[in-house]
Amino acid sequence: MPTLTTVTTATKSTLKWLSISMVYFSILFAVIKIGVAIKERLAPAPPPPPTLAFGKLPSISFPKGEIDKTLTYSLDTITGFLPVLPYQAKVYKMTQIKPRFLALDNARRKTANVGFRSSEVKLSKNWYRWTDESYPFREITLDIFFSHYFTLSSPFLSDPLASRFATNFSNENSAVNTAQEFLLGMSSFPQDIDPARTKTLFYSISRDGDLVPETKASKAQVVRVDFFQKDIDKLPIYYPNASTSTLNLLVTSIQNQQIVIGINFPYQPISKSAYTYPIKTSSQAFSELKAQKAYIASYFGSATNISIKNVFLGYYIGREKQDYLMPVVIFEGQNGFFAYVSAVTDEWVSK
């Protein structure tokens, strides 16, 4: 029969070898992990091939550029070289809204919530208009089947007394809140808006009804509020003008009461349906830029040679309805220069 001493000795021996084994396996696991990391750095496993499930994609419909002179380009990145872009990127399907039986009733409710209680005027199969007869007169035009897609206009700025009626803002946040509350009243404040990127531009009103840029909210009689969508796959979304959004509202203050007098809101929801497509190298995209095949999104300078400071991937959303959210190669330079080149390789884009 084993004695207590024998059992204790055997237990200690077992625990000792168990501890040694655990240390050994920990070291072995760490060595394997380091080996795999080194292998991936020296000879990374190739990514899975693009899925291409949407088939050939339509060309991105960029608007007509406003730069009427030929530009040349030189590279001035931090490294002195073009970056290595990913081999592929996702293309997303935009959500397609189907006609609904109660669409007009829903539109009436939404517009009434924000002060438009007139009878609607039918403009086409999808588009209807409502008016607000109180001062300042306003009209809202809505696609009833795509109710996040609407505009609002007012002749307020053309009123010779507009500059006298409009009062200054206490701060920019109040204008942002007014804009957001209007969209919430319309049930049209998108969930993919990034509050941290919201931008405000300040204006006073000239006697001719023109908007004159100001630097402070305290001097502004009109505030433009731009809402930007969140990044997709850690890539930013860009619009036709690189520094502003297509989703914007004009807010004025009349006798210290804020009111929305202008809206452009061509919002399209982005679905979760996405497939990967091969994209151009940065060198290929740069060649297209130099060949005048890029869309110039903004440029405030006068020089014709542009130093490219940064090159990166992003997504593009225009003012018109589009079927897909597609990636673009974005070139950034001095004096507010931004240019976009469609990123999906040419063989997968219809011409």
Side-chain angles (χ1 to χ4, degrees), residues 72-76 81-83 85 280-294 306-308 311 329 331 337 341:
T72 58
Y73 304 94
S74 56
L75 198 60
D76 190 23
F81 300 97
L82 289 166
L85 299 177
K280 299 166 186 173
T281 65
S282 56
S283 178
Q284 289 172 324
F286 191 42
S287 295
E288 291 193 28
L289 175 69
K290 292 190 288 186
Q292 315 301 316
K293 295 181 180 179
I306 309 297
S307 295
I308 298 300
V311 183
V329 182
F331 293 90
F337 177 86
V341 171

mmCIF file of all heavy atoms in Angstrom, residues 72-76 81-83 85 280-294 306-308 311 329 331 337 341:
data_model
loop_
_atom_site.group_PDB
_atom_site.id
_atom_site.type_symbol
_atom_site.label_atom_id
_atom_site.label_comp_id
_atom_site.label_asym_id
_atom_site.label_seq_id
_atom_site.Cartn_x
_atom_site.Cartn_y
_atom_site.Cartn_z
ATOM 1 N N THR A 72 -1.374 69.413 -65.498
ATOM 2 C CA THR A 72 -0.319 68.399 -65.468
ATOM 3 C C THR A 72 -0.041 68.050 -64.008
ATOM 4 O O THR A 72 -0.389 68.807 -63.102
ATOM 5 C CB THR A 72 0.957 68.905 -66.150
ATOM 6 O OG1 THR A 72 1.399 70.100 -65.490
ATOM 7 C CG2 THR A 72 0.708 69.199 -67.620
ATOM 8 N N TYR A 73 0.608 66.900 -63.816
ATOM 9 C CA TYR A 73 0.720 66.388 -62.455
ATOM 10 C C TYR A 73 2.125 65.877 -62.160
ATOM 11 O O TYR A 73 2.794 65.306 -63.030
ATOM 12 C CB TYR A 73 -0.290 65.252 -62.234
ATOM 13 C CG TYR A 73 -1.713 65.672 -62.526
ATOM 14 C CD1 TYR A 73 -2.284 65.460 -63.782
ATOM 15 C CD2 TYR A 73 -2.471 66.316 -61.562
ATOM 16 C CE1 TYR A 73 -3.583 65.870 -64.058
ATOM 17 C CE2 TYR A 73 -3.774 66.719 -61.831
ATOM 18 C CZ TYR A 73 -4.318 66.495 -63.085
ATOM 19 O OH TYR A 73 -5.595 66.906 -63.351
ATOM 20 N N SER A 74 2.546 66.096 -60.926
ATOM 21 C CA SER A 74 3.803 65.550 -60.431
ATOM 22 C C SER A 74 3.536 64.930 -59.064
ATOM 23 O O SER A 74 2.611 65.323 -58.349
ATOM 24 C CB SER A 74 4.875 66.635 -60.325
ATOM 25 O OG SER A 74 4.431 67.708 -59.505
ATOM 26 N N LEU A 75 4.357 63.955 -58.715
ATOM 27 C CA LEU A 75 4.158 63.212 -57.476
ATOM 28 C C LEU A 75 4.968 63.842 -56.345
ATOM 29 O O LEU A 75 6.169 64.085 -56.481
ATOM 30 C CB LEU A 75 4.569 61.756 -57.681
ATOM 31 C CG LEU A 75 4.058 60.729 -56.671
ATOM 32 C CD1 LEU A 75 2.550 60.692 -56.660
ATOM 33 C CD2 LEU A 75 4.630 59.356 -56.994
ATOM 34 N N ASP A 76 4.299 64.132 -55.236
ATOM 35 C CA ASP A 76 4.969 64.750 -54.091
ATOM 36 C C ASP A 76 4.433 64.146 -52.796
ATOM 37 O O ASP A 76 4.112 64.849 -51.847
ATOM 38 C CB ASP A 76 4.745 66.273 -54.122
ATOM 39 C CG ASP A 76 5.608 67.003 -53.109
ATOM 40 O OD1 ASP A 76 6.655 66.449 -52.717
ATOM 41 O OD2 ASP A 76 5.233 68.113 -52.687
ATOM 42 N N PHE A 81 6.736 57.952 -53.546
ATOM 43 C CA PHE A 81 6.221 56.897 -54.413
ATOM 44 C C PHE A 81 4.703 56.833 -54.297
ATOM 45 O O PHE A 81 4.109 57.341 -53.341
ATOM 46 C CB PHE A 81 6.815 55.531 -54.030
ATOM 47 C CG PHE A 81 8.306 55.452 -54.136
ATOM 48 C CD1 PHE A 81 9.095 55.629 -53.008
ATOM 49 C CD2 PHE A 81 8.915 55.219 -55.351
ATOM 50 C CE1 PHE A 81 10.474 55.565 -53.091
ATOM 51 C CE2 PHE A 81 10.288 55.144 -55.451
ATOM 52 C CZ PHE A 81 11.076 55.321 -54.325
ATOM 53 N N LEU A 82 4.073 56.182 -55.267
ATOM 54 C CA LEU A 82 2.653 55.897 -55.185
ATOM 55 C C LEU A 82 2.422 54.776 -54.182
ATOM 56 O O LEU A 82 3.248 53.855 -54.080
ATOM 57 C CB LEU A 82 2.108 55.490 -56.556
ATOM 58 C CG LEU A 82 2.003 56.601 -57.601
ATOM 59 C CD1 LEU A 82 1.795 55.998 -58.986
ATOM 60 C CD2 LEU A 82 0.862 57.550 -57.266
ATOM 61 N N PRO A 83 1.322 54.804 -53.438
ATOM 62 C CA PRO A 83 1.062 53.732 -52.473
ATOM 63 C C PRO A 83 0.636 52.445 -53.166
ATOM 64 O O PRO A 83 0.198 52.451 -54.327
ATOM 65 C CB PRO A 83 -0.094 54.303 -51.640
ATOM 66 C CG PRO A 83 -0.817 55.191 -52.591
ATOM 67 C CD PRO A 83 0.253 55.817 -53.453
ATOM 68 N N LEU A 85 -2.093 49.883 -53.431
ATOM 69 C CA LEU A 85 -3.507 49.757 -53.107
ATOM 70 C C LEU A 85 -3.893 48.287 -52.975
ATOM 71 O O LEU A 85 -3.199 47.412 -53.510
ATOM 72 C CB LEU A 85 -4.359 50.427 -54.193
ATOM 73 C CG LEU A 85 -4.132 51.919 -54.397
ATOM 74 C CD1 LEU A 85 -4.992 52.428 -55.550
ATOM 75 C CD2 LEU A 85 -4.420 52.712 -53.136
ATOM 76 N N LYS A 280 -7.809 48.876 -59.978
ATOM 77 C CA LYS A 280 -6.604 49.330 -60.657
ATOM 78 C C LYS A 280 -5.475 49.575 -59.658
ATOM 79 O O LYS A 280 -5.721 49.887 -58.491
ATOM 80 C CB LYS A 280 -6.891 50.626 -61.424
ATOM 81 C CG LYS A 280 -7.951 50.471 -62.489
ATOM 82 C CD LYS A 280 -8.441 51.820 -62.989
ATOM 83 C CE LYS A 280 -9.604 51.640 -63.962
ATOM 84 N NZ LYS A 280 -10.229 52.925 -64.343
ATOM 85 N N THR A 281 -4.254 49.456 -60.128
ATOM 86 C CA THR A 281 -3.121 49.839 -59.300
ATOM 87 C C THR A 281 -3.066 51.358 -59.224
ATOM 88 O O THR A 281 -3.651 52.069 -60.057
ATOM 89 C CB THR A 281 -1.806 49.313 -59.879
ATOM 90 O OG1 THR A 281 -1.572 49.943 -61.149
ATOM 91 C CG2 THR A 281 -1.861 47.791 -60.069
ATOM 92 N N SER A 282 -2.352 51.864 -58.241
ATOM 93 C CA SER A 282 -2.214 53.317 -58.131
ATOM 94 C C SER A 282 -1.506 53.885 -59.350
ATOM 95 O O SER A 282 -1.794 55.004 -59.789
ATOM 96 C CB SER A 282 -1.458 53.678 -56.852
ATOM 97 O OG SER A 282 -0.196 53.031 -56.809
ATOM 98 N N SER A 283 -0.595 53.100 -59.940
ATOM 99 C CA SER A 283 0.111 53.555 -61.148
ATOM 100 C C SER A 283 -0.844 53.679 -62.329
ATOM 101 O O SER A 283 -0.790 54.645 -63.098
ATOM 102 C CB SER A 283 1.244 52.573 -61.473
ATOM 103 O OG SER A 283 1.922 52.962 -62.649
ATOM 104 N N GLN A 284 -1.735 52.697 -62.479
ATOM 105 C CA GLN A 284 -2.720 52.763 -63.563
ATOM 106 C C GLN A 284 -3.648 53.957 -63.379
ATOM 107 O O GLN A 284 -3.955 54.674 -64.344
ATOM 108 C CB GLN A 284 -3.536 51.466 -63.604
ATOM 109 C CG GLN A 284 -2.759 50.250 -64.089
ATOM 110 C CD GLN A 284 -3.556 48.963 -63.935
ATOM 111 O OE1 GLN A 284 -4.313 48.796 -62.968
ATOM 112 N NE2 GLN A 284 -3.398 48.045 -64.875
ATOM 113 N N ALA A 285 -4.101 54.179 -62.152
ATOM 114 C CA ALA A 285 -4.992 55.308 -61.887
ATOM 115 C C ALA A 285 -4.270 56.637 -62.126
ATOM 116 O O ALA A 285 -4.859 57.584 -62.655
ATOM 117 C CB ALA A 285 -5.513 55.239 -60.451
ATOM 118 N N PHE A 286 -2.994 56.716 -61.736
ATOM 119 C CA PHE A 286 -2.220 57.944 -61.934
ATOM 120 C C PHE A 286 -2.038 58.223 -63.425
ATOM 121 O O PHE A 286 -2.078 59.381 -63.866
ATOM 122 C CB PHE A 286 -0.876 57.819 -61.234
ATOM 123 C CG PHE A 286 -0.109 59.113 -61.140
ATOM 124 C CD1 PHE A 286 -0.745 60.300 -60.821
ATOM 125 C CD2 PHE A 286 1.264 59.144 -61.364
ATOM 126 C CE1 PHE A 286 -0.036 61.501 -60.731
ATOM 127 C CE2 PHE A 286 1.981 60.322 -61.271
ATOM 128 C CZ PHE A 286 1.328 61.500 -60.959
ATOM 129 N N SER A 287 -1.867 57.179 -64.216
ATOM 130 C CA SER A 287 -1.758 57.345 -65.674
ATOM 131 C C SER A 287 -3.047 57.921 -66.250
ATOM 132 O O SER A 287 -3.019 58.766 -67.141
ATOM 133 C CB SER A 287 -1.435 56.005 -66.336
ATOM 134 O OG SER A 287 -0.158 55.544 -65.945
ATOM 135 N N GLU A 288 -4.202 57.471 -65.729
ATOM 136 C CA GLU A 288 -5.482 58.017 -66.185
ATOM 137 C C GLU A 288 -5.628 59.474 -65.787
ATOM 138 O O GLU A 288 -6.150 60.293 -66.549
ATOM 139 C CB GLU A 288 -6.641 57.180 -65.627
ATOM 140 C CG GLU A 288 -6.727 55.781 -66.221
ATOM 141 C CD GLU A 288 -8.040 55.097 -65.896
ATOM 142 O OE1 GLU A 288 -9.057 55.794 -65.705
ATOM 143 O OE2 GLU A 288 -8.049 53.849 -65.829
ATOM 144 N N LEU A 289 -5.170 59.805 -64.582
ATOM 145 C CA LEU A 289 -5.198 61.206 -64.152
ATOM 146 C C LEU A 289 -4.374 62.067 -65.096
ATOM 147 O O LEU A 289 -4.835 63.129 -65.545
ATOM 148 C CB LEU A 289 -4.669 61.312 -62.718
ATOM 149 C CG LEU A 289 -4.527 62.729 -62.153
ATOM 150 C CD1 LEU A 289 -5.897 63.362 -61.930
ATOM 151 C CD2 LEU A 289 -3.731 62.708 -60.839
ATOM 152 N N LYS A 290 -3.169 61.626 -65.414
ATOM 153 C CA LYS A 290 -2.287 62.398 -66.292
ATOM 154 C C LYS A 290 -2.826 62.465 -67.714
ATOM 155 O O LYS A 290 -2.528 63.412 -68.457
ATOM 156 C CB LYS A 290 -0.878 61.803 -66.276
ATOM 157 C CG LYS A 290 -0.171 61.972 -64.938
ATOM 158 C CD LYS A 290 1.292 61.589 -65.009
ATOM 159 C CE LYS A 290 1.489 60.104 -65.128
ATOM 160 N NZ LYS A 290 2.925 59.730 -65.042
ATOM 161 N N ALA A 291 -3.645 61.476 -68.093
ATOM 162 C CA ALA A 291 -4.241 61.458 -69.433
ATOM 163 C C ALA A 291 -5.563 62.220 -69.482
ATOM 164 O O ALA A 291 -6.316 62.096 -70.455
ATOM 165 C CB ALA A 291 -4.445 60.021 -69.893
ATOM 166 N N GLN A 292 -5.863 62.998 -68.448
ATOM 167 C CA GLN A 292 -7.088 63.817 -68.372
ATOM 168 C C GLN A 292 -8.355 62.968 -68.349
ATOM 169 O O GLN A 292 -9.404 63.371 -68.843
ATOM 170 C CB GLN A 292 -7.140 64.814 -69.548
ATOM 171 C CG GLN A 292 -5.842 65.551 -69.849
ATOM 172 C CD GLN A 292 -5.338 66.371 -68.673
ATOM 173 O OE1 GLN A 292 -6.106 67.054 -68.019
ATOM 174 N NE2 GLN A 292 -4.028 66.302 -68.420
ATOM 175 N N LYS A 293 -8.276 61.765 -67.760
ATOM 176 C CA LYS A 293 -9.428 60.872 -67.689
ATOM 177 C C LYS A 293 -10.033 60.810 -66.286
ATOM 178 O O LYS A 293 -10.836 59.920 -65.993
ATOM 179 C CB LYS A 293 -9.031 59.463 -68.142
ATOM 180 C CG LYS A 293 -8.634 59.385 -69.611
ATOM 181 C CD LYS A 293 -8.265 57.961 -70.000
ATOM 182 C CE LYS A 293 -7.872 57.881 -71.466
ATOM 183 N NZ LYS A 293 -7.490 56.493 -71.865
ATOM 184 N N ALA A 294 -9.653 61.745 -65.432
ATOM 185 C CA ALA A 294 -10.176 61.778 -64.071
ATOM 186 C C ALA A 294 -11.231 62.864 -63.942
ATOM 187 O O ALA A 294 -11.273 63.811 -64.734
ATOM 188 C CB ALA A 294 -9.043 62.023 -63.077
ATOM 189 N N ILE A 306 -0.061 70.370 -60.852
ATOM 190 C CA ILE A 306 -0.559 69.983 -59.534
ATOM 191 C C ILE A 306 0.398 68.981 -58.897
ATOM 192 O O ILE A 306 0.730 67.963 -59.509
ATOM 193 C CB ILE A 306 -1.959 69.353 -59.631
ATOM 194 C CG1 ILE A 306 -2.906 70.260 -60.432
ATOM 195 C CG2 ILE A 306 -2.511 69.043 -58.255
ATOM 196 C CD1 ILE A 306 -3.147 71.604 -59.811
ATOM 197 N N SER A 307 0.816 69.262 -57.667
ATOM 198 C CA SER A 307 1.622 68.318 -56.900
ATOM 199 C C SER A 307 0.686 67.399 -56.123
ATOM 200 O O SER A 307 -0.086 67.868 -55.280
ATOM 201 C CB SER A 307 2.548 69.056 -55.935
ATOM 202 O OG SER A 307 3.496 69.830 -56.640
ATOM 203 N N ILE A 308 0.749 66.114 -56.408
ATOM 204 C CA ILE A 308 -0.110 65.143 -55.737
ATOM 205 C C ILE A 308 0.530 64.757 -54.402
ATOM 206 O O ILE A 308 1.634 64.224 -54.356
ATOM 207 C CB ILE A 308 -0.324 63.895 -56.610
ATOM 208 C CG1 ILE A 308 -1.022 64.276 -57.922
ATOM 209 C CG2 ILE A 308 -1.145 62.842 -55.856
ATOM 210 C CD1 ILE A 308 -2.383 64.918 -57.745
ATOM 211 N N VAL A 311 -2.683 59.754 -52.087
ATOM 212 C CA VAL A 311 -3.462 58.884 -52.971
ATOM 213 C C VAL A 311 -4.085 57.797 -52.109
ATOM 214 O O VAL A 311 -3.384 57.125 -51.339
ATOM 215 C CB VAL A 311 -2.576 58.243 -54.060
ATOM 216 C CG1 VAL A 311 -3.438 57.404 -55.017
ATOM 217 C CG2 VAL A 311 -1.786 59.301 -54.827
ATOM 218 N N VAL A 329 -10.292 55.796 -56.867
ATOM 219 C CA VAL A 329 -8.968 56.200 -56.412
ATOM 220 C C VAL A 329 -8.989 57.721 -56.311
ATOM 221 O O VAL A 329 -9.335 58.402 -57.277
ATOM 222 C CB VAL A 329 -7.866 55.727 -57.369
ATOM 223 C CG1 VAL A 329 -6.494 56.135 -56.839
ATOM 224 C CG2 VAL A 329 -7.931 54.220 -57.563
ATOM 225 N N PHE A 331 -7.129 61.333 -55.617
ATOM 226 C CA PHE A 331 -5.859 62.050 -55.650
ATOM 227 C C PHE A 331 -6.059 63.408 -54.987
ATOM 228 O O PHE A 331 -6.957 64.168 -55.360
ATOM 229 C CB PHE A 331 -5.371 62.238 -57.086
ATOM 230 C CG PHE A 331 -5.000 60.950 -57.771
ATOM 231 C CD1 PHE A 331 -5.947 60.222 -58.483
ATOM 232 C CD2 PHE A 331 -3.708 60.447 -57.693
ATOM 233 C CE1 PHE A 331 -5.611 59.033 -59.111
ATOM 234 C CE2 PHE A 331 -3.363 59.253 -58.313
ATOM 235 C CZ PHE A 331 -4.307 58.542 -59.027
ATOM 236 N N PHE A 337 -7.094 70.629 -54.213
ATOM 237 C CA PHE A 337 -7.262 69.766 -55.388
ATOM 238 C C PHE A 337 -7.667 68.353 -54.966
ATOM 239 O O PHE A 337 -7.026 67.726 -54.124
ATOM 240 C CB PHE A 337 -5.970 69.681 -56.191
ATOM 241 C CG PHE A 337 -6.060 68.744 -57.378
ATOM 242 C CD1 PHE A 337 -6.552 69.202 -58.592
ATOM 243 C CD2 PHE A 337 -5.689 67.420 -57.260
ATOM 244 C CE1 PHE A 337 -6.658 68.331 -59.678
ATOM 245 C CE2 PHE A 337 -5.797 66.546 -58.334
ATOM 246 C CZ PHE A 337 -6.285 67.011 -59.544
ATOM 247 N N VAL A 341 -10.724 58.794 -59.848
ATOM 248 C CA VAL A 341 -10.625 57.855 -60.964
ATOM 249 C C VAL A 341 -11.379 56.592 -60.562
ATOM 250 O O VAL A 341 -11.163 56.064 -59.457
ATOM 251 C CB VAL A 341 -9.157 57.508 -61.290
ATOM 252 C CG1 VAL A 341 -9.082 56.360 -62.305
ATOM 253 C CG2 VAL A 341 -8.421 58.726 -61.837
#
